[in-house]
Amino acid sequence: MDGINLGLWILVADWAIRIVALAWIPLRTRPAAARSWLLLIGFVPLLGLPLYLLLGHPWLSRERVRRQAEASAAVRDGQAPQAALRWCPAEGTVAGEAVPLVERLGAFMPVRGNGVALLDDYDASLARLLADIDAATHRVHLLYYLMFDDAVGEAVADALERAAARGVRCRLLLDAMGAKRGLRRYARRLRRAGVEVHAMLPGGLRWRRSGRADLRNHRKIAVIDDDVAHVGSQNLADALFVPGHPNRELVARVHGPIVAHLEAVFASDWYLETGEVLEVAPARPTHADDVACQLLPSGPAYPFPNAGDTIATLIHLARRRVVLTTPYFVPDDAILGAMRIAALSGVEVQLILSASNNQRLTALAQHASYEELLACGVKIALHRPRFLHAKHMSVDDDIALVGSINLDIRSFALNAEIGLLCYDPRVVARMRAVEAAYLADAEAVDLAEWRRRPRWRRSLEGIARLADSFM
């Protein structure tokens, strides 16, 4: 009798979980993700519900959301006295339609008078960063997702120690999960040298003050002396920090008013983590190259998916050619739809991915999109021999986007990211040269050959695509 009662209670609990999940999850989660969670809970309710409670909703603490809103308001107010630096695109152009959207989403106006150098040599880019730190006279601010305990991490720590010894005010923000090894190795040492070090989104016993455990700050920003800044995809680690996957990156080294805007992003993240308000210096005099630039910050603290909305819009607005470079391609329906419509409308859409991938589930999930894209005319190229970790985009001959944003759901919904938009044909031409170098060492994916892959492989790809929607 007891066994019958126990079985009945398990059956009732089983169905109660399913019914509650059906009524509750769609109210809190994106439709695609909700379908995936309901499918999992429908199969294994007693496992699916705890997983959803832990990872199902990308919540962030109210305090962080409030601080981000305050920081964004401060950014808008701080730009008001600098109206003379505003760049105004011509009406009816792609930039003319994109600029207002980016400004409303991320709070940053486009500014003229910048210098932009694209650095695609891994070691040379790091050497340039270290040289800039060594030349600092009053301030060094570094914000990075990953700092490894290797030769590069050691070199950066040494440079910060030298700067602090000269009286330079040094601050270092590192993601608590991505830079765990770097924080463990260098945090105490750097603090003893006078460097202010903080871990972002620390979790642990402090999780209620941060958010869901896998929300991360994925930005890579360095600001030195209010004069020069670096922004892009490159972390503070050796190119081979993932064995077997030597990274290839792209970083923009910038001068001009945009440096003050990158400083404002650092100050915002510093405020989110510490509650301390940093003074952001006014924008410096303009650079002779006169490149128009605009920042695109995004992340779960913002009310909208800034990165995803902007990239989808740029694809829709393109008139001739779009090139997208990313290591992780698991986009949402909006990005897939934009790429499909652009290609079918006659726009050349080129997707450049890495032939190797250090995340197997992601690799399977992105394969699930290839056939649909190839069938509508999107070109897909797989780059070898390095792991192409660069993240950038070019639109027609006028707009380049470079930063930390991957074309995946994680970057759009879970990570704090940064993108630099350059509205300048010269920067786009330099990015086209970088893209051409990728394509020279890449193999095009052929639709007919791709369709011949085994059925079991297609099934795995479909399952992986569903699993990536769990958020």
Side-chain angles (χ1 to χ4, degrees):
M1 189 70 176
D2 290 341
I4 295 175
N5 288 337
L6 178 61
L8 180 61
W9 278 112
I10 290 175
L11 180 64
V12 169
D14 193 66
W15 276 99
I17 290 172
R18 290 188 174 98
I19 293 169
V20 169
L22 183 61
W24 185 44
I25 289 177
L27 299 177
R28 296 170 52 85
T29 312
R30 295 180 310 103
R35 285 192 292 270
S36 297
W37 281 109
L38 290 172
L39 181 63
L40 176 64
I41 292 172
F43 274 106
V44 279
L46 296 178
L47 173 64
L49 181 60
L51 283 176
Y52 177 80
L53 293 174
L54 181 65
L55 297 173
H57 182 61
W59 69 273
L60 198 66
S61 71
R62 291 181 180 177
E63 177 65 12
R64 286 178 180 267
V65 173
R66 182 187 67 78
R67 288 183 180 182
Q68 181 60 69
E70 290 179 354
S72 295
V75 164
R76 291 189 176 94
D77 293 342
Q79 294 173 103
Q82 302 170 7
L85 295 174
R86 176 183 285 274
W87 175 74
C88 298
E91 292 186 10
T93 62
V94 174
E97 297 191 48
V99 159
L101 171 69
V102 176
E103 186 168 357
R104 292 188 188 107
L105 289 172
F108 287 98
M109 70 181 187
V111 286
R112 58 183 177 79
N114 300 286
V116 179
L118 298 181
L119 310 177
D120 68 334
D121 182 293
Y122 196 102
D123 293 335
S125 174
L126 283 169
R128 182 69 267 180
L129 173 62
L130 293 171
D132 286 339
I133 295 173
D134 280 333
T137 59
H138 66 278
R139 183 158 52 189
V140 173
H141 285 166
L142 303 183
L143 162 59
Y144 280 86
Y145 170 69
L146 188 149
M147 182 178 182
F148 231 50
D149 54 346
D150 58 12
V152 171
E154 195 71 28
V156 172
D158 288 345
L160 289 172
E161 286 177 325
R162 290 192 298 269
R166 297 193 306 272
V168 176
R169 188 71 178 267
C170 297
R171 295 184 176 96
L172 177 63
L173 278 174
L174 295 172
D175 183 79
M177 183 178 294
K180 183 183 298 183
R181 290 175 57 169
L183 285 164
R184 187 184 301 125
R185 178 74 173 270
Y186 303 116
R188 289 183 182 178
R189 167 183 156 186
L190 289 172
R191 287 172 183 144
R192 286 196 300 267
V195 179
E196 298 176 63
V197 182
H198 285 281
M200 297 180 287
L201 295 163
L205 296 177
R206 293 173 287 177
W207 68 277
R208 290 190 64 83
R209 298 212 316 257
S210 49
R212 177 173 143 178
D214 60 341
L215 300 185
R216 306 310 332 151
N217 193 311
H218 193 241
R219 294 169 178 155
K220 293 96 172 164
I221 298 173
V223 183
I224 294 96
D225 279 355
D226 309 316
D227 176 61
V228 62
H230 297 238
V231 58
S233 63
Q234 191 165 357
N235 286 296
L236 302 179
D238 186 88
L240 272 167
F241 76 92
V242 177
H245 297 275
N247 282 23
R248 186 167 186 176
E249 311 283 359
L250 187 67
V251 173
R253 182 175 181 267
V254 299
H255 293 272
I258 200 68
V259 174
H261 290 192
L262 285 163
E263 177 78 350
V265 174
F266 180 93
S268 297
D269 281 350
W270 188 268
Y271 178 56
L272 259 66
E273 294 302 332
T274 70
E276 179 186 2
V277 177
L278 300 180
E279 182 181 353
V280 177
R284 297 292 293 270
T286 57
H287 192 276
D289 284 354
D290 199 26
V291 175
C293 295
Q294 186 177 24
L295 287 189
L296 172 66
S298 66
Y302 288 89
F304 303 106
N306 297 0
D309 285 354
T310 299
I311 291 172
T313 298
L314 289 172
I315 297 170
H316 279 301
L317 292 174
R319 298 169 180 175
R320 294 179 299 279
R321 190 181 188 209
V322 176
V323 182
L324 303 124
T325 302
T326 181
Y328 308 118
F329 180 72
V330 190
D332 56 14
D333 290 341
I335 297 293
L336 279 174
M339 293 176 70
R340 181 179 66 249
I341 292 169
L344 291 172
S345 300
V347 175
E348 181 185 351
V349 182
Q350 174 72 68
L351 178 63
I352 306 176
L353 306 171
S354 185
S356 63
N357 197 309
N358 62 350
Q359 297 186 18
R360 290 192 174 185
L361 182 64
T362 301
L364 283 170
Q366 74 181 29
H367 290 166
S369 304
Y370 286 6
E371 186 167 339
E372 175 186 352
L373 292 173
L374 290 167
C376 64
V378 174
K379 299 176 183 178
I380 302 175
L382 304 180
H383 174 77
R384 291 186 171 85
R386 290 182 170 269
F387 174 48
L388 187 58
H389 190 251
K391 312 151 199 302
H392 50 88
M393 174 184 188
S394 59
V395 180
D396 296 334
D397 298 320
D398 311 304
I399 301 177
L401 169 63
V402 60
S404 66
I405 303 166
N406 293 310
L407 296 182
D408 65 2
I409 298 168
R410 170 161 292 279
S411 262
F412 297 157
L414 302 183
N415 290 342
E417 305 282 9
I418 187 67
L420 171 70
L421 284 150
C422 302
Y423 305 102
D424 191 283
R426 295 164 297 178
V427 177
V428 176
R430 293 197 288 272
M431 184 171 282
R432 292 279 192 232
V434 172
E435 294 162 353
Y438 297 159
L439 292 170
D441 291 321
E443 178 182 350
V445 180
D446 179 75
L447 176 58
E449 184 178 346
W450 185 252
R451 282 174 169 165
R452 288 195 290 269
R453 70 196 190 285
R455 289 187 177 276
W456 62 266
R457 179 80 183 186
R458 298 186 187 193
S459 296
L460 285 179
E461 293 164 2
I463 294 169
R465 188 69 175 88
L466 282 174
D468 203 78
S469 294
F470 290 155
M471 59 180 61

